[in-house]
Amino acid sequence: TNSMSFRYDRRDRRDHRGRNYDNRGPPRRRSSDYNRRQSSDERRGRSQLEDNIVTIIDQGATSLDREIKDLSKAIEEDYHMLKDNIFDMMFQCIICLPNKTTVYATVVGLLNAKNNSIGSEVIHKLNDELRSALKLAETQSIKFLVRFLACLVHVGIISGSGVIFELFDLLLSDSNGNQSRTDYFTSVVLYTLPYIGKKLQEDDENRLNDLFNTLEGRINASNDAYISFPILKILKDAPDDSYLYEVFKALKEQKDSGWDGRVILKPWTLFEEELKGAQGHNYNIGDLSLPQDILPNGENPYPTPVPVFRLFEGEKIGIWESRNFSEKERYILEELIRDLLYHFEGSPRDCTRYLVNLRVGLNFEEVLDIVAEVIFSELLKIPKSRVGTTFYVNMTIELCRASKKVMPGILAKAVINMYERLPHMDNSCVSVLTDWFSTYLSNFEFKWIWKAWTIPPTALHSFFISETLLKCVRLSYWDRLEKVLPDELHKLLPLQPVPYFKYRELSEESLVARSVAELFTKRSEGIDVIEWTKNTQEFVDLSPISKVDVVVTCLLQLGSKSFSHLMKAMERYTDVVKTLLVNDETKKQVIESIVSFWKTHPQNIEIVFNKFQTAQLIGMKEITEWVFNKENLQNVHKYYFPWKILQKSIDKSLSLAKLGLLKLKELPDPSMRHSATPEEIEAHQKATEVSEKLFHDHREHLRGIITSFDVALNKYEDFDEGLSQFEDWLDLITSRFNSILLRVYTIFVLLLIVRILNIINLNWNDYWKM
């Protein structure tokens, strides 16, 4: 069918009829046997209908009412033959294309007006989907299904608005102490209200006022917690109030003004006559319940608070000043943009296409400033963005293609504004911004107003420029950047990235190193090299540390041409290095050898660290000790890459621990089966021991990181002169600590769950069945 791809939030899910959902895009094609049983006309008709459901209102050329009528008629004609396909596709679109929720509600409303049984099927399907989404805490799905349910009141499928109040009461009944969970369910109600608020006010204004009072109490408590936890703010000079608090204030203004506005598309108003006689259905929320407090995977699925992030406040630009747009509607538009970013995180081009065709009563270019602010707020989100920097780079490039006259200027202004506000920006965000900016520049031949930056006002601005140039070097030739930059900025360029093979000069070790390098160059087998290291006297006479340095340096030299060369070299000679790692000092030497070889190429240091950790040649302990050595701490204001290495090592260590846990969960528990074989018992016991060891090691490593920060703060007096003020250094090191701590927060939650289960003697298989 349609070639576009959109993200579906389900993982290994089956619907109530036992069919698999596809994780990405439209429903999967039927089996080849099924297709052979269908005529070509039937298959072509089903494919065309699926396309029509997905692409409705995409082109914008046809009138809205005509598109909705045509789709409703097409579904009605094929309903009895393709009912299952239609509902599967429709509900995937409701979840994956949130900008069309009101359109799909109107389509099914017209169908219900003609055939009451279709409305009953919609209610049944919606109940199944919402119950499943709540059970698994699928946060995006819950939000969009609740929104769709609210829209069904407008089209007459659901009788009365009382069920909406009941559903809101259920969502607001959560009180388990998890602030992010509480905030999430509060946000679901807040973001649904603009779609149904006017109807609720007309039907029962007193009950709506009670709802707002409940919301106000929850949001005030949440706002107090947010204010007391300021490390989530991207810009430290931003308003203290949380984003949720600002949304609530905007909703109160909307309520007081009669829910006016044009951001939300309301196609049901075009079919008042057709929908007037529709027979409504009762919707019972009695079998809906909130997710359990601790999810089976041990993770917290609820999003961290969204900070208020404004880049263009006070800017006087004609295209924005002329738009008839209320600030109280801004949050609705921002949420629509954010939803599209989430669901199209694998396809920037499709995401841009939907943003361009977003029907909010305004021209696309009139809201590009808001699009840019949402993109940067997601990119710079603390502790980390939802997806990698590459997605946001590609998004901005696609937007520049879609709006060649406006978007490049908006992005330039955004960068300039953020550059000016660097002293107020969280330091971890500064590094992320340089990641985006360097990659963005590489797509535009590194053209920039460099001359305006020749005199950086502060050390932080110098760091931003030098870090950006360091990352630009990864994406281009050093000579090319030197030609692009004005002479005044050449001093901020990094040294040319070249490998340093220390054994070129004549010495005792260099003679041995040349022999090792010759063995590697001849592609000798690893077992032969190991035998050589044991039987060659010149090598045996070296100290353990020198042995490691020689072999690792030669290995890096062999793989220095490209990373494919490195991977082949490691595949062949990893065991050689492992035989030389006889104590902690030799493991530390592996890191020292890497840093020495690639000392002018931080990117290669990051990548080699990652490959060596995967090969278990180095671990988190050695990486942590290196990150916190005296040189790196003294230069915390000069480069960021050691801290990125530390973050990646934490992620990798956690992935290994989770993988061990997953393998344990997949094995049948012998204690639950009387017929378990000795082999099954042994396999389960071994998997349990491996999983426990991985989590134990990970916990100890995290504890070591916290201890290292404490030691670093107590040893600042030992540093050489070079930092003018201790306060500046303290601010930087505290920022690094906050970034790491927030990154491992969910890890500590998972470790705590494992510990609790051990205490109450409950195994993971029992827990997953709960």
Side-chain angles (χ1 to χ4, degrees):
T1 60
N2 185 34
S3 62
M4 64 143 252
S5 61
F6 49 77
R7 190 173 184 88
Y8 191 45
D9 210 21
R10 293 275 146 80
R11 294 292 184 274
D12 297 324
R13 279 283 317 283
R14 291 178 180 270
D15 68 6
H16 63 286
R17 295 180 182 85
R19 294 188 307 272
N20 278 324
Y21 278 109
D22 195 348
N23 285 337
R24 189 179 291 273
R28 291 173 180 160
R29 294 287 191 179
R30 299 288 187 114
S31 67
S32 57
D33 290 339
Y34 176 85
N35 284 331
R36 281 195 293 269
R37 290 197 301 269
Q38 288 185 312
S39 68
S40 60
D41 289 342
E42 288 175 328
R43 291 197 300 271
R44 189 161 47 248
R46 178 167 59 87
S47 177
Q48 184 61 50
L49 183 58
E50 289 176 349
D51 272 350
N52 291 341
I53 293 173
V54 172
T55 61
I56 187 171
I57 77 167
D58 280 357
Q59 303 303 322
T62 312
S63 64
L64 179 61
D65 59 339
R66 171 53 57 190
E67 286 196 70
I68 292 175
K69 279 183 178 179
D70 289 347
L71 179 58
S72 176
K73 183 178 179 181
I75 292 175
E76 184 181 8
E77 290 175 353
D78 294 331
Y79 175 72
H80 293 291
M81 183 174 61
L82 301 174
K83 179 174 64 173
D84 291 343
N85 291 79
I86 291 169
F87 281 142
D88 284 348
M89 174 62 75
M90 184 77 74
F91 275 87
Q92 287 198 38
C93 289
I94 289 166
I95 292 172
C96 298
L97 300 174
N99 57 314
K100 301 182 183 183
T101 303
T102 58
V103 175
Y104 293 126
T106 305
V107 170
V108 296
L110 291 174
L111 291 169
N112 177 69
K114 292 183 178 180
N115 184 347
N116 185 253
S117 64
I118 295 180
S120 178
E121 288 280 354
V122 170
I123 292 294
H124 178 70
K125 177 74 171 176
L126 173 60
N127 191 59
D128 285 348
E129 292 289 317
L130 186 53
R131 185 175 62 248
S132 297
L134 283 167
K135 181 179 180 180
L136 297 178
E138 295 171 345
T139 55
Q140 291 293 96
S141 300
I142 293 169
K143 180 170 68 173
F144 301 138
L145 291 171
V146 170
R147 181 188 299 175
F148 181 66
L149 193 154
C151 293
L152 294 185
V153 174
H154 290 291
V155 299
I157 291 183
I158 291 180
S159 301
S161 56
V163 67
I164 304 300
F165 283 116
E166 293 177 17
L167 181 58
F168 286 170
D169 289 341
L170 171 66
L171 297 176
L172 297 178
S173 65
D174 173 67
S175 59
N176 78 333
N178 182 339
Q179 190 62 56
S180 60
R181 172 184 163 116
T182 301
D183 288 347
Y184 164 73
F185 286 113
T186 303
S187 71
V188 171
V189 175
L190 290 178
Y191 287 121
T192 306
L193 274 171
Y195 293 82
I196 193 65
K198 187 173 183 179
K199 177 68 174 173
L200 297 180
Q201 193 164 11
E202 291 172 352
D203 290 356
D204 196 336
E205 186 169 4
N206 290 332
R207 197 169 179 180
L208 181 64
N209 290 335
D210 292 340
L211 175 65
F212 266 77
N213 290 334
T214 301
L215 286 170
E216 187 168 18
R218 291 169 67 94
I219 288 172
N220 284 336
S222 170
N223 197 49
D224 291 341
Y226 178 83
I227 292 173
S228 64
F229 201 57
I231 60 176
L232 293 175
K233 293 170 66 174
I234 297 172
L235 294 170
K236 302 308 177 185
D237 61 343
D240 288 334
D241 292 330
S242 69
Y243 189 87
L244 213 58
Y245 185 81
E246 296 294 333
V247 173
F248 178 69
K249 289 197 302 184
L251 277 177
K252 287 184 70 176
E253 290 182 25
Q254 275 200 309
K255 174 175 169 288
D256 295 339
S257 61
W259 303 96
D260 60 340
R262 55 176 179 162
V263 170
I264 295 176
L265 191 64
K266 302 172 183 175
W268 49 74
T269 59
L270 303 173
F271 301 97
E272 292 180 352
E273 287 298 320
E274 291 90 334
L275 297 173
K276 186 180 297 182
Q279 181 179 346
H281 304 265
N282 294 322
Y283 185 87
N284 183 13
I285 69 165
D287 58 347
L288 299 180
S289 59
L290 298 183
Q292 58 193 40
D293 292 348
I294 301 176
L295 294 180
N297 60 9
E299 293 188 354
N300 181 14
Y302 307 104
T304 55
V306 176
V308 178
F309 186 73
R310 298 286 180 263
L311 286 174
F312 305 107
E313 278 189 323
E315 301 281 354
K316 293 184 178 180
I317 300 177
I319 193 172
W320 301 337
E321 289 184 330
S322 61
R323 67 188 178 196
N324 181 20
F325 182 69
S326 169
E327 279 298 307
K328 61 179 177 283
E329 297 180 88
R330 180 190 188 101
Y331 297 96
I332 303 172
L333 178 58
E334 287 180 339
E335 188 66 8
L336 280 173
I337 296 168
R338 190 171 283 110
D339 290 338
L340 288 173
L341 289 176
Y342 286 175
H343 282 286
F344 288 96
E345 59 190 27
S347 180
R349 184 169 297 177
D350 285 331
C351 186
T352 301
R353 181 161 61 87
Y354 276 90
L355 285 172
V356 170
N357 294 317
L358 200 60
R359 296 197 181 188
V360 292
L362 292 167
N363 183 280
F364 168 64
E365 292 185 335
E366 292 181 313
V367 297
L368 277 176
D369 59 318
I370 299 176
V371 173
E373 286 182 340
V374 173
I375 287 175
F376 282 113
S377 70
E378 288 298 315
L379 168 68
L380 302 175
K381 194 173 184 180
I382 299 173
K384 62 179 180 178
S385 59
R386 180 185 173 98
V387 291
T389 306
T390 303
F391 169 74
Y392 299 103
V393 173
N394 292 334
M395 270 301 307
T396 49
I397 291 171
E398 290 295 334
L399 287 168
C400 286
R401 289 173 178 162
S403 177
K404 297 178 181 178
K405 293 182 178 179
V406 178
M407 193 62 188
I410 288 177
L411 291 175
K413 184 61 178 172
V415 173
I416 292 170
N417 288 358
M418 286 188 284
Y419 179 78
E420 293 174 352
R421 298 177 70 179
L422 283 178
H424 303 290
M425 185 177 288
D426 184 272
N427 281 289
S428 63
C429 297
V430 175
S431 180
V432 175
L433 182 58
T434 60
D435 287 338
W436 171 85
F437 189 43
S438 59
T439 313
Y440 176 78
L441 288 174
S442 70
N443 285 273
F444 294 93
E445 300 179 346
F446 302 101
K447 293 179 180 178
W448 184 248
I449 49 172
W450 295 112
K451 290 186 177 180
W453 286 4
T454 53
I455 307 178
T458 69
L460 185 57
H461 292 84
S462 295
F463 168 81
F464 177 81
I465 298 172
S466 62
E467 190 79 0
T468 298
L469 295 177
L470 175 65
K471 292 166 182 175
C472 286
V473 170
R474 303 177 180 182
L475 305 166
S476 181
Y477 294 105
W478 188 91
D479 295 338
R480 182 183 180 188
L481 280 172
E482 186 184 33
K483 292 177 182 178
V484 170
L485 295 173
D487 294 341
E488 295 87 345
L489 290 179
H490 285 177
K491 61 184 179 183
L492 296 179
L493 263 176
L495 297 174
Q496 292 199 45
V498 292
Y500 172 62
F501 187 69
K502 66 172 71 173
Y503 293 113
R504 296 189 190 281
E505 299 177 1
L506 189 61
S507 67
E508 182 181 350
E509 287 87 357
S510 66
L511 294 174
V512 179
R514 289 175 187 177
S515 299
V516 174
E518 186 177 352
L519 288 171
F520 286 173
T521 304
K522 291 180 178 179
R523 299 184 179 179
S524 301
E525 293 297 326
I527 188 67
D528 296 332
V529 177
I530 292 174
E531 286 299 316
W532 183 91
T533 61
K534 293 179 179 179
N535 300 324
T536 304
Q537 192 61 42
E538 292 83 358
F539 189 87
V540 174
D541 291 341
L542 296 177
S543 67
I545 289 178
S546 296
K547 291 178 183 177
V548 170
D549 188 45
V550 166
V551 172
V552 171
T553 302
C554 291
L555 180 64
L556 294 173
Q557 177 69 14
L558 181 65
S560 61
K561 290 183 179 180
S562 69
F563 287 110
S564 60
H565 284 78
L566 176 64
M567 293 306 297
K568 289 180 181 178
M570 289 183 62
E571 183 180 344
R572 188 179 291 267
Y573 300 119
T574 292
D575 289 340
V576 178
V577 180
K578 285 183 177 180
T579 61
L580 303 175
L581 302 180
V582 295
N583 53 40
D584 290 344
E585 295 303 315
T586 53
K587 293 179 181 178
K588 293 177 185 177
Q589 183 57 46
V590 175
I591 288 181
E592 295 300 327
S593 300
I594 297 171
V595 175
S596 173
F597 187 83
W598 287 117
K599 58 185 176 182
T600 62
H601 206 319
Q603 180 192 23
N604 281 7
I605 294 177
E606 289 181 35
I607 295 174
V608 174
F609 268 47
N610 182 55
K611 302 301 182 186
F612 273 48
Q613 186 182 5
T614 302
Q616 298 182 343
L617 298 178
I618 56 177
M620 271 188 65
K621 179 182 177 182
E622 292 77 37
I623 293 174
T624 302
E625 290 180 1
W626 173 77
V627 169
F628 286 94
N629 68 27
K630 185 176 180 180
E631 181 182 356
N632 285 332
L633 289 176
Q634 280 186 297
N635 292 298
V636 69
H637 61 304
K638 292 183 179 179
Y639 44 71
Y640 188 78
F641 79 92
W643 307 97
K644 184 172 288 188
I645 288 174
L646 183 62
Q647 291 174 348
K648 288 183 178 179
S649 71
I650 293 171
D651 293 344
K652 182 171 286 293
S653 178
L654 177 63
S655 297
L656 290 173
K658 284 185 175 180
L659 182 61
L661 189 62
L662 183 62
K663 289 181 177 179
L664 174 61
K665 185 182 75 68
E666 290 174 347
L667 292 175
D669 186 1
S671 65
M672 305 296 292
R673 298 168 57 237
H674 297 294
S675 59
T677 64
E679 290 78 10
E680 289 176 334
I681 295 174
E682 183 181 358
H684 189 273
Q685 183 178 357
K686 184 176 180 181
T688 302
E689 291 172 355
V690 170
S691 177
E692 290 177 352
K693 184 179 185 306
L694 287 170
F695 271 104
H696 174 270
D697 292 345
H698 192 69
R699 183 179 66 245
E700 293 305 309
H701 293 152
L702 296 178
R703 187 175 295 168
I705 291 172
I706 305 300
T707 303
S708 298
F709 272 110
D710 181 55
V711 172
L713 292 174
N714 289 319
K715 284 191 174 183
Y716 73 92
E717 294 177 347
D718 298 338
F719 293 164
D720 299 330
E721 293 182 5
L723 293 174
S724 57
Q725 293 183 356
F726 169 64
E727 288 79 6
D728 294 338
W729 179 86
L730 181 63
D731 181 59
L732 286 168
I733 202 70
T734 301
S735 173
R736 303 292 188 260
F737 176 71
N738 289 341
S739 177
I740 296 293
L741 187 63
L742 286 170
R743 197 178 191 88
V744 303
Y745 167 74
T746 55
I747 302 173
F748 280 119
V749 172
L750 182 56
L751 293 172
L752 180 62
I753 292 171
V754 174
R755 179 62 177 157
I756 291 173
L757 294 179
N758 288 337
I759 291 173
I760 63 177
N761 198 27
L762 179 66
N763 63 53
W764 277 97
N765 289 326
D766 289 339
Y767 180 72
W768 279 74
K769 294 174 183 176
M770 289 170 55

